[in-house]
Amino acid sequence: MIEKTSKQIRSEVTKEGKLLIYIESIKLPEPKEDEVLIRIEASPINPSDLGLLIGPSDVSSLSVSGDGENAVVTMDIPEGLLRMLEARIDQSLPVGNEGGGIIVAAGDQVSEALIGKTVGVAGGSMYSQYRCVKASTCFVMHEGTSPAESASCFVNPLTALGMVETMRMENHSALVHTAAASNLGQMLIKICLNEDVPLVNIVRREEHVDMLNNLGAKFVCNSSRDTFMDDLIKALIETGATIGFDATGGGKLSGQILTAMEVAANQTATEFNRYGSDKFKQVYIYGGLDRSPTTLNRSFGFSWSLGGWLLTPFIGRIGPERFEELKQKVADEIKTTFASHYTKEISLAEVLMPENINVYSKQSTGEKYLINPNK
Amino acid sequence: MIEKTSKQIRSEVTKEGKLLIYIESIKLPEPKEDEVLIRIEASPINPSDLGLLIGPSDVSSLSVSGDGENAVVTMDIPEGLLRMLEARIDQSLPVGNEGGGIIVAAGDQVSEALIGKTVGVAGGSMYSQYRCVKASTCFVMHEGTSPAESASCFVNPLTALGMVETMRMENHSALVHTAAASNLGQMLIKICLNEDVPLVNIVRREEHVDMLNNLGAKFVCNSSRDTFMDDLIKALIETGATIGFDATGGGKLSGQILTAMEVAANQTATEFNRYGSDKFKQVYIYGGLDRSPTTLNRSFGFSWSLGGWLLTPFIGRIGPERFEELKQKVADEIKTTFASHYTKEISLAEVLMPENINVYSKQSTGEKYLINPNK
């Protein structure tokens, strides 16, 4: 039975410097030709969603008026940061990059064959009860895969695959990854094991070292240990990794990776080069878990690059054919390589509850929430 | 008349953490086939030379034993930095990347035609009375060009040309340059005027704004002004510059350039993009005038790159044919586009005098020394 309306989470920045989160009811969308209507049953809260949902707001300033599905969450945006949000002021924006659900209606006869199928899908506004999308954008899952299992089929799997692809395209042969105990990090470990790519994992907590070792990770460095730099250098000498992907972005970590790569490269150098090793070292920042400034001591010569990495331009770079291959791989391995773990399933109304916001806004590894808009 | 010995400046790091500078007398080198012997009469002290000559030593710890050509300068290397210099410990290294001189002998009949010619040359050990090099590596100057005029024919001219070439190779259409009042900066202004490349110059002192305006520079931003960020954003909107070359490296400047590029890019954006502008922004660090850590606030989205830039890999990248064209351009325009200015000409013995070291080690814009090893 399809409802005549669809509820969805909205985020709005006011010109007075407040951020509001609330539920909006819209008319049930109708699939046009080439389109299908999906009942969304699972959508993860990824760091990339929080950028839109909460943005740079101060979570400690949170207040709520109304309750249940009528609650409105209000937070302050710290002074000086409002200028960066100018382009979204006074717009009520739907949220949610990806989700899993069941196709319940189709806009043409060809797509009708998909009705009843479980799909994963990306494209925004996924914290909605129903979403209309182009049929061709759906990851059609194999029989027996649930919407919850399909929910994280896009951002994490393709980012993890994208790291390995980028490594190869840019002529590196081994990888470094930070925040490596995340769902994404665990996928990357499995991909690298399958494809014999040496991988250096960086985590911040000792229990994550054990967890990743149990997954088969060979190199796990804990940045909280006093011996971190020595451990990292040793792993880089063994693996020869000269490209890293940093989910944290802030603080010293990116620079430490470049420094350790430089020290590792110089171990094999035969003569002193005043400009540093000529081995090219690359670190990409693909997230911002640490919002503090990035600090580089530049003790790594001149043959290096630090840059931003995003999924969308990467997909453009590999082209549609390779993209389809990667999508198929994700659908084939969604219960193994690309399996995700969540600590809690919440409804749309529960997205607005302070006790939940305080947890999911922290983006802690091992504290991942899944939204079921039809719960 | 050719002396039977050749004196040269040496720099040496001891395992006890001292850096020594002194003059060494070596046997006059003899040109082999394809080689010529040059009497060096002018060699600049560039920031890139100081990396080898003084390295990370603490100039305030300077002491001198002996005097004149027998003086030995000693400085302390700050604790913790010695590890980076391991590969050069206890090696007596000659210094000087480039110079100008007169060819006084040749190793074969073909090269004999070059005797008496003024040449510019690069290849290290130029703080020497005599240098043997491959004849083919010399920039043969036009009649009437002096060795002093030829001294800076390599590092600055090719770096300035390299910035414009890199801009084109990487699909940008306008440039940003820091420490823009330097000899190199002035060359870049002239090249960009000749070739109609919009250039945003960043300087730190008000008198440099006037100086560069007098050279014809259209956009000059003073980073010491309170209005710096606004001035820079305005210049970036007008020029559309999305690539910058930063000679300072440390502090906030590289990040400020990326931030200003992002703000400029967003002025023309039609909708809010939570990941920042998709306009790709590049800053290259090509020097280290500011040794403090590089600090990035990352308020510039994910479409950016910060990296090191060095002349040697750039020359490899453009290939020998283009390199020869650029060399010829430098020889043709050495008195105009590529003219350099020096505040003082010093002898080898004067390189060792504290009052000179205190000046040339500071790398201040407008305080550039020229060494004449045969003074």
Side-chain angles (χ1 to χ4, degrees):
Chain A
M1 287 288 85
I2 303 182
E3 316 260 339
K4 292 291 176 203
T5 59
S6 170
K7 292 179 189 126
Q8 60 182 208
I9 295 287
R10 295 289 184 89
S11 172
E12 182 171 348
V13 168
T14 70
K15 58 180 173 302
E16 292 78 23
K18 303 282 181 190
L19 183 134
L20 314 178
I21 309 174
Y22 52 89
I23 293 172
E24 184 86 5
S25 227
I26 63 165
K27 190 170 164 286
L28 188 73
E30 265 182 55
K32 302 192 193 76
E33 205 180 322
D34 297 333
E35 289 186 343
V36 290
L37 183 68
I38 305 168
R39 186 177 66 235
I40 305 291
E41 297 187 6
S43 179
I45 304 181
N46 287 320
S48 51
D49 297 306
L50 291 171
L52 186 60
L53 184 66
I54 294 186
S57 310
D58 175 7
V59 176
S60 71
S61 70
L62 180 160
S63 69
V64 184
S65 65
D67 58 10
E69 295 192 345
N70 297 313
V72 177
V73 176
T74 304
M75 299 184 215
D76 296 335
I77 295 167
E79 239 186 281
L81 297 181
L82 190 61
R83 197 173 79 155
M84 287 167 54
L85 302 175
E86 244 167 47
R88 61 169 288 196
I89 282 176
D90 289 337
Q91 294 172 50
S92 175
L93 299 172
V95 190
N97 285 323
E98 63 182 343
I102 311 278
I103 293 182
V104 291
D108 59 47
Q109 282 193 317
V110 178
S111 304
E112 268 179 18
L114 293 171
I115 292 177
K117 295 270 187 200
T118 298
V119 294
V121 65
S125 312
M126 293 298 161
Y127 299 167
S128 299
Q129 291 184 296
Y130 292 90
R131 267 289 271 138
C132 245
V133 299
K134 292 257 177 220
S136 60
T137 64
C138 294
F139 287 48
V140 180
M141 295 293 154
H142 295 282
E143 197 72 36
T145 303
S146 71
E149 285 167 335
S150 319
S152 294
C153 66
F154 193 84
V155 179
N156 281 344
L158 290 171
T159 301
L161 288 167
M163 292 175 184
V164 178
E165 295 276 307
T166 301
M167 176 199 83
R168 293 199 179 109
M169 285 191 287
E170 299 183 0
N171 302 310
H172 302 270
S173 59
L175 278 169
V176 179
H177 187 226
T178 74
S182 65
N183 273 329
L184 192 160
Q186 296 181 40
M187 292 177 191
L188 186 61
I189 288 169
K190 294 179 207 163
I191 296 167
C192 288
L193 280 173
N194 289 344
E195 305 191 13
D196 270 333
V197 174
L199 170 67
V200 179
N201 299 279
I202 298 176
V203 298
R204 274 171 298 185
R205 280 148 56 184
E206 202 57 30
E207 66 260 38
H208 289 155
V209 176
D210 299 332
M211 186 179 95
L212 299 196
N213 283 334
N214 288 338
L215 281 179
K218 194 168 165 200
F219 302 97
V220 188
C221 301
N222 181 351
S223 60
S224 304
R225 277 192 206 159
D226 290 341
T227 57
F228 172 59
M229 280 303 283
D230 290 332
D231 298 343
L232 182 57
I233 290 165
K234 203 166 154 246
L236 292 173
I237 292 171
E238 276 203 61
T239 57
T242 47
I243 183 169
F245 287 84
D246 180 13
T248 71
K252 291 185 178 175
L253 191 54
S254 285
Q256 286 176 314
I257 295 168
L258 289 168
T259 300
M261 286 176 176
E262 174 77 2
V263 176
N266 281 330
Q267 297 274 333
T268 52
T270 50
E271 64 175 44
F272 176 68
N273 184 337
R274 81 195 77 167
Y275 301 116
S277 157
D278 55 10
K279 179 86 85 177
F280 182 68
K281 299 162 289 289
Q282 173 76 56
V283 171
Y284 284 114
I285 294 176
Y286 76 96
L289 296 178
D290 179 345
R291 291 191 193 175
S292 71
T294 312
T295 306
L296 309 172
N297 286 317
R298 300 198 320 289
S299 53
F300 35 77
F302 280 86
S303 188
W304 61 276
S305 173
L306 177 70
W309 191 96
L310 272 186
L311 187 51
T312 311
F314 163 75
I315 290 171
R317 188 175 171 194
I318 58 172
E321 208 167 306
R322 184 66 183 144
F323 181 44
E324 284 308 314
E325 286 172 14
L326 296 182
K327 276 171 70 176
Q328 191 54 53
K329 185 177 168 69
V330 174
D332 292 347
E333 301 175 23
I334 196 74
K335 292 189 178 201
T336 53
T337 313
F338 303 108
S340 291
H341 306 283
Y342 308 96
T343 38
K344 197 169 172 184
E345 187 189 274
I346 59 177
S347 66
L348 291 183
E350 286 167 333
V351 171
L352 307 177
M353 293 168 68
E355 59 266 41
N356 291 325
I357 297 175
N358 283 325
V359 175
Y360 67 65
S361 67
K362 283 207 184 66
Q363 312 178 29
S364 297
T365 299
E367 280 285 10
K368 185 139 195 171
Y369 280 27
L370 189 67
I371 299 172
N372 181 350
N374 284 290
K375 190 182 174 184
Chain B
M1 287 289 85
I2 301 182
E3 316 257 343
K4 292 293 178 204
T5 60
S6 170
K7 292 179 188 124
Q8 60 181 208
I9 296 286
R10 294 290 184 88
S11 173
E12 184 171 346
V13 169
T14 70
K15 59 178 172 301
E16 292 79 20
K18 303 283 181 190
L19 182 132
L20 314 178
I21 309 175
Y22 52 88
I23 293 172
E24 183 87 4
S25 226
I26 63 164
K27 191 168 162 289
L28 188 72
E30 266 181 55
K32 301 192 195 76
E33 206 181 319
D34 299 334
E35 289 185 344
V36 290
L37 182 68
I38 305 168
R39 186 176 68 235
I40 306 291
E41 296 187 5
S43 180
I45 304 181
N46 287 320
S48 51
D49 297 305
L50 290 170
L52 187 60
L53 184 66
I54 294 187
S57 310
D58 176 7
V59 176
S60 70
S61 70
L62 180 161
S63 68
V64 184
S65 64
D67 59 10
E69 296 193 344
N70 298 313
V72 177
V73 176
T74 304
M75 299 184 215
D76 295 335
I77 295 166
E79 241 186 279
L81 297 180
L82 190 62
R83 195 173 80 155
M84 287 168 54
L85 303 174
E86 244 168 47
R88 61 169 288 196
I89 283 176
D90 289 337
Q91 294 173 51
S92 175
L93 299 172
V95 190
N97 285 323
E98 62 181 342
I102 311 279
I103 294 183
V104 291
D108 58 48
Q109 282 191 316
V110 178
S111 303
E112 268 177 17
L114 293 171
I115 290 178
K117 295 270 189 202
T118 298
V119 294
V121 64
S125 311
M126 292 298 161
Y127 299 168
S128 299
Q129 291 185 296
Y130 292 90
R131 266 289 270 137
C132 245
V133 300
K134 291 258 180 224
S136 62
T137 64
C138 294
F139 286 48
V140 180
M141 295 292 154
H142 294 283
E143 196 73 34
T145 303
S146 70
E149 287 168 334
S150 320
S152 294
C153 66
F154 194 86
V155 179
N156 281 343
L158 289 171
T159 301
L161 288 167
M163 291 174 184
V164 178
E165 295 275 307
T166 301
M167 175 199 83
R168 293 200 179 108
M169 284 190 290
E170 299 182 0
N171 302 312
H172 304 270
S173 59
L175 278 169
V176 179
H177 187 226
T178 75
S182 65
N183 273 329
L184 193 160
Q186 297 181 40
M187 292 177 192
L188 186 61
I189 288 170
K190 295 179 206 163
I191 296 167
C192 288
L193 281 173
N194 290 342
E195 304 190 14
D196 271 333
V197 173
L199 171 67
V200 179
N201 299 279
I202 298 175
V203 298
R204 271 171 299 185
R205 280 147 55 184
E206 203 56 30
E207 66 260 37
H208 289 155
V209 176
D210 300 331
M211 188 179 94
L212 299 196
N213 283 334
N214 288 338
L215 280 178
K218 194 169 163 199
F219 303 97
V220 188
C221 301
N222 181 351
S223 61
S224 304
R225 276 192 208 162
D226 289 342
T227 57
F228 172 60
M229 280 304 281
D230 290 331
D231 299 343
L232 181 58
I233 290 165
K234 204 167 155 246
L236 292 173
I237 291 171
E238 276 203 59
T239 57
T242 47
I243 183 169
F245 286 85
D246 180 14
T248 70
K252 291 185 179 177
L253 191 53
S254 285
Q256 286 176 314
I257 295 169
L258 289 168
T259 300
M261 286 175 176
E262 175 76 3
V263 176
N266 281 331
Q267 296 275 334
T268 52
T270 51
E271 65 175 45
F272 176 68
N273 184 336
R274 80 196 79 168
Y275 301 117
S277 158
D278 55 11
K279 180 86 84 174
F280 182 68
K281 298 160 290 289
Q282 172 76 56
V283 171
Y284 284 113
I285 294 176
Y286 76 96
L289 296 177
D290 180 345
R291 291 191 193 174
S292 71
T294 311
T295 306
L296 308 172
N297 285 319
R298 300 198 317 290
S299 52
F300 36 76
F302 280 87
S303 187
W304 61 277
S305 173
L306 177 70
W309 192 94
L310 273 186
L311 187 52
T312 311
F314 163 74
I315 291 171
R317 188 175 169 193
I318 58 172
E321 209 168 305
R322 184 66 184 143
F323 181 44
E324 284 307 316
E325 287 172 13
L326 296 182
K327 276 171 71 177
Q328 190 55 51
K329 184 177 170 70
V330 174
D332 292 347
E333 302 175 24
I334 195 74
K335 292 189 179 204
T336 53
T337 313
F338 302 108
S340 291
H341 306 283
Y342 308 96
T343 38
K344 198 169 172 184
E345 187 189 273
I346 58 177
S347 67
L348 292 183
E350 286 167 333
V351 171
L352 308 177
M353 293 168 67
E355 59 266 42
N356 291 325
I357 297 175
N358 282 326
V359 176
Y360 68 65
S361 67
K362 284 208 183 67
Q363 312 177 30
S364 297
T365 300
E367 281 285 8
K368 185 142 194 172
Y369 280 25
L370 189 67
I371 299 173
N372 180 348
N374 284 290
K375 190 182 175 185

